Amino acid sequence: LHYPLRRQRQMCIRDSNKDVITTPIFYVNAEPHLGHLYSALLCDARARWSRLRGRQVLFTTGTDEHGLKIEEAADRSECGTPGAFCDKVAQSFVDCFSAFGISYDDFIRTTEPRHADTVRALWRRLQSRGSIYLGTHRGWYCKSDESYLTEAQTLEVPAPPLPQTSEDADDSRRQLWTRRWCAGNCFLFCIRLRRVRMASCAITTIATVGRSY
């Protein structure tokens, strides 16, 4: 979303006279900040421009309320449970966007039943088509980045700077690159069944973007 407005048409799903515009779904491990608002304002400007042109617009935003970092943030809070913590932070996003006049049509939380129902339906569809299968995966997992590390990334983990104050010590502990070895069963995409189609889509996308400049 960090692009000039002239390029935001590439971020919209177009169908006749309709535009679907979305922000990222924002992580609720902390209160909203300027970066969240910046993304929302860009999308808001695009949505308002589309409406002025007489197009039908669906402008969505929302919050991502799953993950280890959110669980840890909830434990550090005084909310009692992860659910209560998510409710509190999600409402802060709603209040922030309301204060700045963000004209979204729908605010989606990943803990809502409608989201869970949609994910289940998509999962069953992928299974029925053979697009996912049960496999195994192992590697070093970085909790702060919520991703597995490559071999090059695990060769050296820099030590955090020595804290100067008690507050710095807390920040240092929070920012330490925590990692652990993870191994087990997981579902994987069957990429080989879609390899030709994915390559075709990538070539088409590159050609389309190239013609727009």
Side-chain angles (χ1 to χ4, degrees):
L1 291 173
H2 301 282
Y3 294 100
L5 292 179
R6 69 178 181 274
R7 288 191 58 189
Q8 290 197 27
R9 58 198 170 100
Q10 297 166 8
M11 305 170 195
C12 303
I13 301 172
R14 298 243 170 162
D15 178 17
S16 182
N17 194 44
K18 300 177 182 179
D19 287 347
V20 178
I21 304 170
T22 180
T23 70
I25 50 173
F26 301 109
Y27 224 45
V28 295
N29 59 319
E31 300 286 326
H33 55 66
L34 187 61
H36 299 126
L37 181 60
Y38 173 71
S39 297
L41 285 170
L42 284 180
C43 289
D44 181 69
R46 184 64 177 88
R48 290 175 184 271
W49 173 243
S50 291
R51 295 186 189 113
L52 286 173
R53 296 173 61 200
R55 299 184 65 83
Q56 298 181 49
V57 174
L58 175 60
F59 172 21
T60 67
T61 187
T63 48
D64 181 354
E65 303 177 15
H66 295 97
L68 294 174
K69 288 192 292 187
I70 294 176
E71 182 181 19
E72 287 186 343
D75 290 340
R76 294 195 301 266
S77 73
E78 299 178 355
C79 294
T81 65
F85 175 76
C86 289
D87 290 341
K88 178 178 179 294
V89 180
Q91 185 59 48
S92 70
F93 277 90
V94 172
D95 294 341
C96 175
F97 294 164
S98 176
F100 284 88
I102 305 299
S103 61
Y104 61 82
D105 299 299
D106 197 2
F107 190 96
I108 302 170
R109 298 178 57 183
T110 58
T111 52
E112 293 177 325
R114 59 173 174 155
H115 181 267
D117 291 342
T118 302
V119 171
R120 291 190 190 98
L122 177 60
W123 186 273
R124 295 190 188 104
R125 185 176 181 182
L126 290 171
Q127 281 187 311
S128 67
R129 294 185 175 187
S131 296
I132 56 177
Y133 65 95
L134 184 62
T136 60
H137 188 80
R138 63 181 184 272
W140 287 106
Y141 183 78
C142 177
K143 185 164 56 177
S144 60
D145 290 342
E146 294 197 329
S147 64
Y148 282 91
L149 306 175
T150 65
E151 183 177 351
Q153 288 175 307
T154 60
L155 291 179
E156 181 179 356
V157 179
L162 293 175
Q164 302 300 317
T165 66
S166 59
E167 183 177 348
D168 291 338
D170 291 338
D171 290 339
S172 178
R173 280 192 292 269
R174 283 196 295 268
Q175 294 172 7
L176 181 61
W177 192 2
T178 57
R179 60 176 182 166
R180 62 191 177 105
W181 181 261
C182 293
N185 296 333
C186 62
F187 280 91
L188 304 171
F189 280 104
C190 193
I191 300 297
R192 61 183 177 80
L193 297 179
R194 305 288 186 268
R195 186 175 299 164
V196 174
R197 185 175 179 182
M198 290 171 64
S200 176
C201 288
I203 294 171
T204 301
T205 301
I206 293 171
T208 301
V209 173
R211 287 196 300 269
S212 67
Y213 288 95

